[in-house]
Structure formats: structure tokens, C-alpha cells
Amino acid sequence: MPRISRRTENLGTENAFVVLAEVNELVRRGKDIISFCIGQPDFHTPANVQDAAVRAVREGRHGYTPSAGIVELREAAARYMGAMRGLSIRPEDVVIGGGAKPFIAYSILSTTDYGVGDEVIYPNPGFPIYESQIVANGAVPVPLHLREARNFAFDPAELEAKITKKTKLVILNSPQNPTGGILTKKDLEAIAAVLGRHPEVWIYADEIYSRLCYEGSFASIASLPGMLERTIISDGASKTWAMTGWRIGFASNPVLAPQFVRWVTNTDSCASHVSQWAAVEAINGPQDDAQ
Ligand SMILES: Cc1ncc(COP(=O)(O)O)c(C=O)c1O
């Protein structure tokens, strides 16, 4: 019997998706279930966004797109991500993906080499895909512990202690899954001071929950001096506009964007064309539902 690779046998998962499959099966069998298993908004994708998708299909905009995404969405996402962070982001530095999740793998793949001991620091507890993708892509996972006493932020001194000559990438997630913690401007300044002493390290800023701040306010590490060039900003349509199943994410970095484009060409080819037009409307249209 042919064997399954060790890489695949050892691949981690996101239990929310395991439970979601069980929930959907029970619903299919007619059970009345209230599902708490996965992080998705409890409202429908706004009607104007749905209409934009229907228009795209009817007008024949359903073929492949460039791997980087349609220009209209790259422009809209660049404007949106820039405005949220007080930055000027160029559309050519933005890549559209099939959700924000693939950029976790693309970033690890683009900044570490396989099996040579390259290290990636990631928050723990954190989104489980960080660790599983670090390991699957042959890098070394280095957990950085979030401290309840610090409102589920980590101690910047601990971050500095974990950085070695092998560190290639630090993953930050704010607002944070699963704790809901937010890195304040003061936290980010302390982190930027540490990372300023280690200019060879990339930063992955997973900011998919940037619009879901109920206390305090969202701030991005990319907005601090010297950070933009080395930060991969990751955001997307899933959580803000209740578009989890439409699969649209956007990532931005001036150096890595062309590398991400090649990864998209090698994997998904492009994000769903129809969903891209829906996301253009989500960003540019009325924001009542998102707010
Ligand atoms: C921290 C974090 N990053 C990324 C994602 C992926 O989101 P998307 O649906 O855009 O792939 C999620 C989704 O649950 C998440 O919680």
C-alpha cells in the first residue's frame, strides 16, 4: 500500500472546522442546532454586496483573473487598508487571496527555507494554523506566550529573548484569536522598539479582526516608523462584511507582494472572480451592516 507522507500525517488542523462539519451534518439530518463552533458573523452578507456578485455573474465576469487580483479590488483594498492604518498603501503592493488564511502559508514559504532551522515566532494561545503551517513548511515553531495578567498581550521582553539569528518571521495577531486581546499603541511601540533592533526579521500582522474592536481601538504595527516595509499586513472580507464563505483576503507588502503572486499562481491561480467583485462593493459601498 502506498504511504501518506509524514508531513501530511503530522499536519495540524483547526478544530472549529472539524466541529463545523459535524454541525452541518446534523443540520442536514434535520436537527435544530445553535452553532458556536466557528468565528463568523451572525448576519448575512449585505444585500448590495450580494447584488454585486449576481451582476458579475450575469455580466460574464467569472473567468480567471490575474493571480494578484482584479485592479479594482487591489485599488479598493489598498485604499481601505491604508485608511484604517493611517498609511499610504500602493495597489501594486496588495495581493488578493482566497481568504486571508493562505497568506499565512505564503508568508512562511516566502521568508523561511525548508529544514534548515529557520524559526518563526507566533502567539500562543493563537490561531492553530500558524503552528501547523510553520511545521508543515519545514520551519521551527517558537511560541510566544500571551499573559492573562497583561490582558492577553505578550511581554515584549519575552519576544526579544526568543529572537535568535535563525528568526525569520514574527507573527502578530491583533485583535487576537482566541483571546480577544488587543495590542495597544503602547504595546506596539514596545514591540517595534524590539524589532527595530532586529531589522532582518519579517513581521506578519494578522489584522483580520481590525473592525471587530469592542473596547479600545485598533492600531497596526505597520503604522509605526520603520515597520511598513518589513510588515506583511493581512486583512480581508470574511469577518467585516460577513463573507467567510466567499473567500477573499488581502495582504500587502512592497517586497513580498510579487512573491505572493507567484504562490497564488502555483496554488489557487486566483481568488474567486465573482467574490472579488462582491468585495469591491463591500469596501466601496455603504458600511451600515459592517458597522
Ligand atoms: C486569526 C485569524 N487569521 C486568519 C483567519 C482566516 O480568515 P479568512 O476567512 O480570511 O481566511 C482567521 C479565521 O478564523 C483567523 O481567526
Side-chain angles (χ1 to χ4, degrees):
M1 185 67 186
R3 289 214 42 209
I4 294 170
S5 69
R6 259 179 293 147
R7 186 202 324 239
T8 299
E9 270 179 352
N10 295 335
L11 185 63
T13 189
E14 196 184 333
N15 277 327
F17 276 95
V18 178
V19 180
L20 181 67
E22 289 168 15
V23 165
N24 285 354
E25 178 54 24
L26 290 172
V27 170
R28 206 180 60 81
R29 285 200 234 135
K31 291 256 187 316
D32 184 16
I33 304 270
I34 299 172
S35 170
F36 291 105
C37 69
I38 203 159
Q40 54 186 347
D42 61 354
F43 58 97
H44 286 171
T45 304
N48 59 309
V49 176
Q50 297 178 22
D51 291 345
V54 171
R55 262 196 319 276
V57 175
R58 293 279 183 228
E59 290 169 7
R61 287 178 280 161
H62 45 56
Y64 289 125
T65 75
S67 292
I70 56 174
V71 171
E72 289 81 352
L73 183 53
R74 295 176 84 189
E75 284 174 353
R79 223 175 23 251
Y80 170 72
M81 287 199 287
M84 287 282 296
R85 294 161 182 84
L87 293 167
S88 172
I89 294 180
R90 303 180 314 169
E92 57 266 42
D93 297 339
V94 174
V95 181
I96 308 303
K101 191 187 259 179
F103 290 107
I104 298 169
Y106 300 153
S107 298
I108 296 164
L109 287 161
S110 302
T111 60
T112 65
D113 282 310
Y114 195 95
V116 298
D118 285 348
E119 295 171 2
V120 180
I121 298 176
Y122 67 102
N124 187 0
F127 190 43
I129 300 308
Y130 301 144
E131 186 182 351
S132 66
Q133 282 298 316
I134 295 165
V135 174
N137 291 307
V140 178
V142 179
L144 179 61
H145 300 291
L146 305 181
R147 303 286 174 199
E148 190 176 354
R150 299 179 64 92
N151 253 341
F152 294 108
F154 55 82
D155 181 350
E158 270 183 59
L159 168 63
E160 182 135 47
K162 300 224 165 182
I163 297 178
T164 71
K165 286 200 163 51
K166 296 274 192 186
T167 307
K168 301 291 181 216
L169 178 68
V170 171
I171 298 177
L172 302 177
N173 177 209
S174 181
Q176 162 87 33
N177 176 2
T179 65
I182 295 177
L183 293 172
T184 62
K185 186 92 192 293
K186 201 161 150 260
D187 293 328
L188 292 171
E189 279 165 359
I191 295 165
V194 170
L195 293 169
R197 291 191 281 279
H198 301 276
E200 68 292 349
V201 177
W202 291 99
I203 304 154
Y204 185 83
D206 186 336
E207 298 175 345
I208 188 78
Y209 295 106
S210 55
R211 297 276 290 276
L212 277 83
C213 271
Y214 300 101
E215 281 172 22
S217 54
F218 165 71
S220 174
I221 187 87
S223 309
L224 297 181
M227 295 293 123
L228 179 60
E229 292 284 308
R230 51 194 289 211
T231 301
I232 302 145
I233 303 172
S234 169
D235 205 331
S238 286
K239 318 287 178 177
T240 301
W241 295 282
M243 293 179 71
T244 49
W246 297 70
R247 309 310 302 133
I248 292 292
F250 2 100
S252 151
N253 181 270
V255 175
L256 293 175
Q259 320 306 329
F260 292 161
V261 173
R262 280 192 299 145
W263 278 114
V264 176
T265 306
N266 273 266
T267 53
D268 292 344
S269 296
C270 62
S272 153
H273 192 168
V274 173
S275 296
Q276 289 190 55
W277 283 106
V280 171
E281 174 63 22
I283 295 174
N284 291 342
Q287 296 298 304
D288 311 70
D289 290 13
Q291 263 137 20

PDB file of all heavy atoms in Angstrom, residues 258-276:
ATOM      1  N   PRO A 258       5.063  40.549  -5.010  1.00  0.00           N
ATOM      2  CA  PRO A 258       5.290  39.754  -6.233  1.00  0.00           C
ATOM      3  C   PRO A 258       5.537  38.281  -5.942  1.00  0.00           C
ATOM      4  O   PRO A 258       5.202  37.412  -6.762  1.00  0.00           O
ATOM      5  CB  PRO A 258       6.546  40.395  -6.845  1.00  0.00           C
ATOM      6  CG  PRO A 258       6.699  41.727  -6.184  1.00  0.00           C
ATOM      7  CD  PRO A 258       6.062  41.623  -4.841  1.00  0.00           C
ATOM      8  N   GLN A 259       6.122  37.991  -4.762  1.00  0.00           N
ATOM      9  CA  GLN A 259       6.351  36.584  -4.393  1.00  0.00           C
ATOM     10  C   GLN A 259       5.008  35.913  -4.090  1.00  0.00           C
ATOM     11  O   GLN A 259       4.763  34.769  -4.493  1.00  0.00           O
ATOM     12  CB  GLN A 259       7.272  36.455  -3.168  1.00  0.00           C
ATOM     13  CG  GLN A 259       8.436  37.432  -3.129  1.00  0.00           C
ATOM     14  CD  GLN A 259       9.277  37.398  -4.388  1.00  0.00           C
ATOM     15  OE1 GLN A 259       9.394  36.357  -5.042  1.00  0.00           O
ATOM     16  NE2 GLN A 259       9.832  38.539  -4.755  1.00  0.00           N
ATOM     17  N   PHE A 260       4.141  36.639  -3.389  1.00  0.00           N
ATOM     18  CA  PHE A 260       2.814  36.085  -3.094  1.00  0.00           C
ATOM     19  C   PHE A 260       2.054  35.794  -4.394  1.00  0.00           C
ATOM     20  O   PHE A 260       1.341  34.800  -4.504  1.00  0.00           O
ATOM     21  CB  PHE A 260       1.993  37.057  -2.234  1.00  0.00           C
ATOM     22  CG  PHE A 260       2.514  37.256  -0.830  1.00  0.00           C
ATOM     23  CD1 PHE A 260       2.134  38.365  -0.086  1.00  0.00           C
ATOM     24  CD2 PHE A 260       3.375  36.343  -0.248  1.00  0.00           C
ATOM     25  CE1 PHE A 260       2.603  38.553   1.205  1.00  0.00           C
ATOM     26  CE2 PHE A 260       3.858  36.523   1.051  1.00  0.00           C
ATOM     27  CZ  PHE A 260       3.473  37.633   1.780  1.00  0.00           C
ATOM     28  N   VAL A 261       2.216  36.686  -5.363  1.00  0.00           N
ATOM     29  CA  VAL A 261       1.519  36.478  -6.643  1.00  0.00           C
ATOM     30  C   VAL A 261       1.947  35.135  -7.249  1.00  0.00           C
ATOM     31  O   VAL A 261       1.117  34.353  -7.726  1.00  0.00           O
ATOM     32  CB  VAL A 261       1.808  37.644  -7.629  1.00  0.00           C
ATOM     33  CG1 VAL A 261       1.230  37.325  -9.011  1.00  0.00           C
ATOM     34  CG2 VAL A 261       1.224  38.950  -7.097  1.00  0.00           C
ATOM     35  N   ARG A 262       3.269  34.835  -7.163  1.00  0.00           N
ATOM     36  CA  ARG A 262       3.724  33.546  -7.724  1.00  0.00           C
ATOM     37  C   ARG A 262       3.165  32.370  -6.929  1.00  0.00           C
ATOM     38  O   ARG A 262       2.847  31.323  -7.480  1.00  0.00           O
ATOM     39  CB  ARG A 262       5.251  33.502  -7.777  1.00  0.00           C
ATOM     40  CG  ARG A 262       5.787  34.265  -8.981  1.00  0.00           C
ATOM     41  CD  ARG A 262       7.238  34.002  -9.203  1.00  0.00           C
ATOM     42  NE  ARG A 262       8.003  34.437  -8.036  1.00  0.00           N
ATOM     43  CZ  ARG A 262       9.085  33.819  -7.588  1.00  0.00           C
ATOM     44  NH1 ARG A 262       9.548  32.754  -8.203  1.00  0.00           N
ATOM     45  NH2 ARG A 262       9.728  34.284  -6.522  1.00  0.00           N
ATOM     46  N   TRP A 263       3.068  32.547  -5.596  1.00  0.00           N
ATOM     47  CA  TRP A 263       2.471  31.461  -4.807  1.00  0.00           C
ATOM     48  C   TRP A 263       1.006  31.254  -5.188  1.00  0.00           C
ATOM     49  O   TRP A 263       0.539  30.123  -5.295  1.00  0.00           O
ATOM     50  CB  TRP A 263       2.607  31.738  -3.294  1.00  0.00           C
ATOM     51  CG  TRP A 263       3.960  31.355  -2.768  1.00  0.00           C
ATOM     52  CD1 TRP A 263       4.918  32.179  -2.265  1.00  0.00           C
ATOM     53  CD2 TRP A 263       4.508  30.015  -2.712  1.00  0.00           C
ATOM     54  NE1 TRP A 263       6.033  31.444  -1.898  1.00  0.00           N
ATOM     55  CE2 TRP A 263       5.812  30.133  -2.164  1.00  0.00           C
ATOM     56  CE3 TRP A 263       4.037  28.758  -3.069  1.00  0.00           C
ATOM     57  CZ2 TRP A 263       6.639  29.016  -1.959  1.00  0.00           C
ATOM     58  CZ3 TRP A 263       4.862  27.662  -2.877  1.00  0.00           C
ATOM     59  CH2 TRP A 263       6.139  27.784  -2.332  1.00  0.00           C
ATOM     60  N   VAL A 264       0.282  32.361  -5.400  1.00  0.00           N
ATOM     61  CA  VAL A 264      -1.135  32.217  -5.802  1.00  0.00           C
ATOM     62  C   VAL A 264      -1.214  31.492  -7.148  1.00  0.00           C
ATOM     63  O   VAL A 264      -2.025  30.574  -7.327  1.00  0.00           O
ATOM     64  CB  VAL A 264      -1.856  33.587  -5.866  1.00  0.00           C
ATOM     65  CG1 VAL A 264      -3.289  33.413  -6.378  1.00  0.00           C
ATOM     66  CG2 VAL A 264      -1.877  34.284  -4.506  1.00  0.00           C
ATOM     67  N   THR A 265      -0.335  31.873  -8.080  1.00  0.00           N
ATOM     68  CA  THR A 265      -0.344  31.206  -9.391  1.00  0.00           C
ATOM     69  C   THR A 265      -0.091  29.704  -9.224  1.00  0.00           C
ATOM     70  O   THR A 265      -0.679  28.878  -9.918  1.00  0.00           O
ATOM     71  CB  THR A 265       0.732  31.808 -10.320  1.00  0.00           C
ATOM     72  OG1 THR A 265       0.540  33.210 -10.399  1.00  0.00           O
ATOM     73  CG2 THR A 265       0.664  31.214 -11.719  1.00  0.00           C
ATOM     74  N   ASN A 266       0.782  29.366  -8.263  1.00  0.00           N
ATOM     75  CA  ASN A 266       1.125  27.954  -8.037  1.00  0.00           C
ATOM     76  C   ASN A 266       0.067  27.173  -7.287  1.00  0.00           C
ATOM     77  O   ASN A 266       0.145  25.944  -7.229  1.00  0.00           O
ATOM     78  CB  ASN A 266       2.438  27.862  -7.251  1.00  0.00           C
ATOM     79  CG  ASN A 266       3.648  27.891  -8.168  1.00  0.00           C
ATOM     80  OD1 ASN A 266       4.151  26.841  -8.557  1.00  0.00           O
ATOM     81  ND2 ASN A 266       4.094  29.078  -8.557  1.00  0.00           N
ATOM     82  N   THR A 267      -0.861  27.861  -6.645  1.00  0.00           N
ATOM     83  CA  THR A 267      -1.842  27.154  -5.813  1.00  0.00           C
ATOM     84  C   THR A 267      -3.259  27.371  -6.359  1.00  0.00           C
ATOM     85  O   THR A 267      -3.761  26.563  -7.114  1.00  0.00           O
ATOM     86  CB  THR A 267      -1.726  27.610  -4.344  1.00  0.00           C
ATOM     87  OG1 THR A 267      -1.807  29.045  -4.287  1.00  0.00           O
ATOM     88  CG2 THR A 267      -0.412  27.151  -3.725  1.00  0.00           C
ATOM     89  N   ASP A 268      -3.862  28.504  -6.005  1.00  0.00           N
ATOM     90  CA  ASP A 268      -5.276  28.725  -6.367  1.00  0.00           C
ATOM     91  C   ASP A 268      -5.480  29.320  -7.757  1.00  0.00           C
ATOM     92  O   ASP A 268      -6.613  29.441  -8.204  1.00  0.00           O
ATOM     93  CB  ASP A 268      -5.922  29.698  -5.369  1.00  0.00           C
ATOM     94  CG  ASP A 268      -6.053  29.083  -3.993  1.00  0.00           C
ATOM     95  OD1 ASP A 268      -5.935  27.850  -3.884  1.00  0.00           O
ATOM     96  OD2 ASP A 268      -6.294  29.828  -3.021  1.00  0.00           O
ATOM     97  N   SER A 269      -4.427  29.771  -8.409  1.00  0.00           N
ATOM     98  CA  SER A 269      -4.476  30.549  -9.666  1.00  0.00           C
ATOM     99  C   SER A 269      -4.959  31.970  -9.421  1.00  0.00           C
ATOM    100  O   SER A 269      -4.321  32.928  -9.804  1.00  0.00           O
ATOM    101  CB  SER A 269      -5.354  29.905 -10.738  1.00  0.00           C
ATOM    102  OG  SER A 269      -4.802  28.671 -11.122  1.00  0.00           O
ATOM    103  N   CYS A 270      -6.129  32.100  -8.787  1.00  0.00           N
ATOM    104  CA  CYS A 270      -6.641  33.425  -8.415  1.00  0.00           C
ATOM    105  C   CYS A 270      -7.777  33.205  -7.420  1.00  0.00           C
ATOM    106  O   CYS A 270      -8.296  32.098  -7.309  1.00  0.00           O
ATOM    107  CB  CYS A 270      -7.165  34.184  -9.636  1.00  0.00           C
ATOM    108  SG  CYS A 270      -8.544  33.379 -10.476  1.00  0.00           S
ATOM    109  N   ALA A 271      -8.129  34.260  -6.718  1.00  0.00           N
ATOM    110  CA  ALA A 271      -9.320  34.181  -5.849  1.00  0.00           C
ATOM    111  C   ALA A 271     -10.558  34.200  -6.741  1.00  0.00           C
ATOM    112  O   ALA A 271     -10.496  34.641  -7.895  1.00  0.00           O
ATOM    113  CB  ALA A 271      -9.333  35.368  -4.889  1.00  0.00           C
ATOM    114  N   SER A 272     -11.675  33.733  -6.218  1.00  0.00           N
ATOM    115  CA  SER A 272     -12.927  33.696  -6.988  1.00  0.00           C
ATOM    116  C   SER A 272     -13.211  35.058  -7.624  1.00  0.00           C
ATOM    117  O   SER A 272     -13.273  36.081  -6.931  1.00  0.00           O
ATOM    118  CB  SER A 272     -14.089  33.327  -6.061  1.00  0.00           C
ATOM    119  OG  SER A 272     -15.291  33.859  -6.572  1.00  0.00           O
ATOM    120  N   HIS A 273     -13.381  35.043  -8.938  1.00  0.00           N
ATOM    121  CA  HIS A 273     -13.606  36.291  -9.672  1.00  0.00           C
ATOM    122  C   HIS A 273     -14.902  36.975  -9.191  1.00  0.00           C
ATOM    123  O   HIS A 273     -14.937  38.175  -8.922  1.00  0.00           O
ATOM    124  CB  HIS A 273     -13.678  35.964 -11.170  1.00  0.00           C
ATOM    125  CG  HIS A 273     -13.629  37.154 -12.068  1.00  0.00           C
ATOM    126  ND1 HIS A 273     -13.441  37.042 -13.417  1.00  0.00           N
ATOM    127  CD2 HIS A 273     -13.754  38.486 -11.825  1.00  0.00           C
ATOM    128  CE1 HIS A 273     -13.457  38.257 -13.963  1.00  0.00           C
ATOM    129  NE2 HIS A 273     -13.647  39.141 -13.011  1.00  0.00           N
ATOM    130  N   VAL A 274     -15.936  36.178  -9.063  1.00  0.00           N
ATOM    131  CA  VAL A 274     -17.235  36.722  -8.645  1.00  0.00           C
ATOM    132  C   VAL A 274     -17.111  37.354  -7.262  1.00  0.00           C
ATOM    133  O   VAL A 274     -17.589  38.477  -6.996  1.00  0.00           O
ATOM    134  CB  VAL A 274     -18.298  35.593  -8.644  1.00  0.00           C
ATOM    135  CG1 VAL A 274     -19.613  36.077  -8.062  1.00  0.00           C
ATOM    136  CG2 VAL A 274     -18.498  35.055 -10.066  1.00  0.00           C
ATOM    137  N   SER A 275     -16.432  36.644  -6.359  1.00  0.00           N
ATOM    138  CA  SER A 275     -16.266  37.165  -4.993  1.00  0.00           C
ATOM    139  C   SER A 275     -15.433  38.439  -4.978  1.00  0.00           C
ATOM    140  O   SER A 275     -15.628  39.306  -4.125  1.00  0.00           O
ATOM    141  CB  SER A 275     -15.593  36.116  -4.109  1.00  0.00           C
ATOM    142  OG  SER A 275     -16.409  34.977  -3.984  1.00  0.00           O
ATOM    143  N   GLN A 276     -14.501  38.551  -5.934  1.00  0.00           N
ATOM    144  CA  GLN A 276     -13.685  39.771  -5.970  1.00  0.00           C
ATOM    145  C   GLN A 276     -14.563  40.987  -6.259  1.00  0.00           C
ATOM    146  O   GLN A 276     -14.408  42.039  -5.640  1.00  0.00           O
ATOM    147  CB  GLN A 276     -12.572  39.643  -7.015  1.00  0.00           C
ATOM    148  CG  GLN A 276     -11.484  38.653  -6.601  1.00  0.00           C
ATOM    149  CD  GLN A 276     -10.279  38.719  -7.538  1.00  0.00           C
ATOM    150  OE1 GLN A 276      -9.694  39.781  -7.741  1.00  0.00           O
ATOM    151  NE2 GLN A 276      -9.910  37.588  -8.105  1.00  0.00           N
TER     152      GLN A 276
END
